[in-house]
Amino acid sequence: MVCSLNPNLVLIGFMGTGKTTVGRRCARFLGFRFVDTDARIVRRVGTSIPEIFAREGEGVFREMEARAVREVAGYVHVVIATGGGVVLNPENVRLLRASGILIWLKVAPEEILRRCRDRSTRPLLADADDPLERIRAMLNQRTPFYEAAADTSVDATGLTHEMTTRLVLEAYRTHAAQWRGTREECEESS
Ligand code: S3P
């Protein structure tokens, strides 16, 4: 278990909810380093996410994602932006929860569709005849996983990235205070 003064900030949520952009901004405010599990995979493999899905399949991508989570969850004082499917693997959730505060970014499906206009970069949306229907179906399936993993959530529907960043930082600060309390108790009793 990582016992640091400040917990990491972990952003979870569906594609197009602003995890990367908001995560970068939060990192600047907190003086933390920013890491992104998708970017890490792309850097390691040297090809894009759609290419990994096309050549190797989703299963291989999920293994790479789990490896990226294992690495970044061990860092301290980082903001971690995750891929939308990271919560489907319970081991990912366990590691991320031990590393910091998980904030779930929520956005309404219609707005997700607008934000993901370039579907070619999102292999799980690219082949859908009705992308809005695909987004709704995936959200229905994943919502219980986001709910179970998250410490708290921020509804970013209709908000600018700046406003979302403010709300995320507020949520982080509230939960970080509780988190530190828990870790201090844990250190004292060990
Ligand atoms: C995925 C989301 C993507 C990327 C991959 C799979 C998903 O990340 O990890 O295409 O399963 O929802 P973003 O949420 O950053 O788009």
Side-chain angles (χ1 to χ4, degrees), residues 9 101-104 151-154 164-178:
L9 192 176
I101 310 298
L102 271 68
I103 300 182
W104 170 24
D151 290 290
T152 187
S153 64
V154 166
T164 307
T165 301
R166 213 169 37 232
L167 293 179
V168 167
L169 287 172
E170 258 173 48
Y172 169 79
R173 289 189 178 114
T174 306
H175 284 265
Q178 294 164 10

Side-chain angles (χ1 to χ4, degrees), residues 1-32:
M1 181 189 299
V2 178
C3 278
S4 63
L5 196 58
N6 291 303
N8 293 333
L9 192 176
V10 184
L11 289 171
I12 60 168
F14 203 75
M15 293 172 259
T17 53
K19 291 165 295 190
T20 301
T21 311
V22 170
R24 270 188 208 290
R25 285 168 172 257
C26 289
R28 254 201 322 270
F29 275 101
L30 293 168
F32 284 11

Side-chain angles (χ1 to χ4, degrees), residues 13-17 19-20 36-38 41 49-50 53 58 61-62 65 81-86 88 116 121-124 138 142 146:
F14 203 75
M15 293 172 259
T17 53
K19 291 165 295 190
T20 301
D36 180 307
T37 54
D38 280 346
I41 295 166
I49 304 274
F53 269 73
E58 182 173 351
F61 171 78
R62 295 298 172 202
E65 185 174 54
T82 59
V86 83
L88 302 175
C116 295
T121 62
R122 260 98 180 189
L124 294 175
M138 288 178 73
R142 290 182 176 183
Y146 293 130

